[in-house]
Amino acid sequence: MAIRRALAAHTTLTLAYVDEDGPQACAVLYATGGTTASSSPAPDHAPDSAPGHGSDLGSGPALYFVTATTTRHGRALAEPDARVAFTVQRDGQEWGELTGIQGRGRCRILAGAERAAGWRVYTERFPFVEQSDRLRDALERTTLWELRPDWLRLIDNGQGFGHKEEWQRPEGQPLS
């Protein structure tokens, strides 16, 4: 599906959050994985709910990134009920071919077996992490986060100016 392909095609997202000083944003490297299929139909309010246009995201993708809880954004994300918004796109695109993702969701810290599984996804996406003892050791000591979107919008001007595909987590569906 187009949203999943667009997320898999990129590695950097701009993460927006709110802390005590107001709205902030930061860039993080991410890996995507953990999309689970669902037998639930696409929400009626999704404009592109036909197969291949949002209905096969199931419970949604998991996006994994690394950041310390001592960073400004790490502290904000660790707050109970913290919500985030994010964008994913390639730099330097021409207007008529602009493609990117907008999203909203929640982040959580991974530990134990969940961290190990998320770490495998992250290092498969970024194999250079495992190839550098120094980098691997540093990143293994920091916090691995999972971002679970509850809403995603793909913008793809290559299919027509303003072309959009949306996905929203079905009401009441758990994040994992």
Side-chain angles (χ1 to χ4, degrees), residues 73-156:
H73 54 279
R75 289 189 307 271
L77 299 178
E79 288 294 316
D81 296 321
R83 300 219 3 106
V84 298
F86 63 93
T87 62
V88 173
Q89 70 282 323
R90 182 177 48 84
D91 286 343
Q93 297 184 69
E94 294 295 322
W95 185 263
E97 298 298 316
L98 183 68
T99 300
I101 296 281
Q102 301 169 354
R104 290 188 300 261
R106 297 182 187 277
C107 298
R108 68 185 183 109
I109 295 171
L110 297 179
E114 288 182 316
R115 187 187 195 290
W119 183 249
R120 279 191 301 278
V121 171
Y122 192 83
T123 57
E124 284 174 10
R125 180 62 181 214
F126 304 109
F128 62 86
V129 170
E130 290 291 328
Q131 295 165 2
S132 165
D133 291 340
R134 183 176 172 199
L135 182 57
R136 183 185 60 246
D137 291 346
L139 291 182
E140 283 179 342
R141 286 191 307 271
T142 195
T143 305
L144 182 66
W145 297 79
E146 177 188 71
L147 189 166
R148 282 287 181 160
D150 48 43
W151 173 81
L152 295 166
R153 175 185 288 154
L154 169 70
I155 306 293
D156 187 352

